[in-house]
Amino acid sequence: IISLTIDMLCLLILIPLLCGTHSSDTGWTPVERDRVLVPWDLESTPLQIKTNSTVGSGEGVRVFCYTESNAFIAGVGVIFTSPVQYIIGYCTGIEADYTDLPVQPPENVDKIWFITKTNTTLSISCNGVELLLYTF
């Protein structure tokens, strides 16, 4: 999702239909239902997102990554279709190319998503279940 030559400290824009993002200092932080810039380093700290969307609702969460100079470099999205689908911008195709998650999330309505990145992989987990391990 992010070029290996780009500094990993990036600005994330959350476009949420969700309850909040997790901050280890203060617990869950509510997020406005609009674009929110959050400085984040995915390689040192997984991003946690809490949702209450149901499968088949068509709601979704998208996270866009930008460099420190605000240049777009990638994005990841999950949409609550049936089955639940994902997209990794610049890796899996254009906006319309959502793909079924290889493992579907647990059926609980309340979900906690973890998005983690290494130099070679991006992982999406939900409620402790790894749904995707994408290798660059």
Side-chain angles (χ1 to χ4, degrees):
I1 172 173
I2 298 172
S3 170
L4 300 179
T5 60
I6 294 177
D7 183 6
M8 284 311 305
L9 181 60
C10 61
L11 292 174
L12 301 178
I13 289 187
L14 304 178
I15 299 184
L17 298 171
L18 52 87
C19 296
T21 60
H22 185 264
S23 166
S24 59
D25 298 357
T26 61
W28 290 102
T29 304
V31 175
E32 296 176 26
R33 293 182 181 263
D34 200 358
R35 291 179 181 239
V36 179
L37 285 171
V38 180
W40 207 268
D41 182 347
L42 281 175
E43 288 190 359
S44 67
T45 307
L47 180 64
Q48 296 180 25
I49 301 171
K50 184 176 181 182
T51 64
N52 61 358
S53 299
T54 57
V55 173
S57 69
E59 295 177 327
V61 174
R62 292 187 290 175
V63 176
F64 296 107
C65 295
Y66 291 82
T67 64
E68 290 183 46
S69 60
N70 292 329
F72 175 76
I73 50 177
V76 61
V78 173
I79 189 165
F80 292 91
T81 53
S82 184
V84 177
Q85 297 183 320
Y86 77 98
I87 190 168
I88 302 173
Y90 289 150
C91 293
T92 60
I94 59 172
E95 185 77 22
D97 291 340
Y98 278 83
T99 304
D100 295 351
L101 282 167
V103 175
Q104 290 296 296
E107 295 195 17
N108 316 43
V109 172
D110 293 326
K111 295 174 177 57
I112 298 177
W113 300 81
F114 281 78
I115 301 173
T116 57
K117 185 195 176 297
T118 68
N119 283 335
T120 58
T121 63
L122 177 86
S123 173
I124 299 175
S125 298
C126 178
N127 291 1
V129 177
E130 186 173 76
L131 310 178
L132 176 71
L133 182 60
Y134 186 89
T135 303
F136 306 117

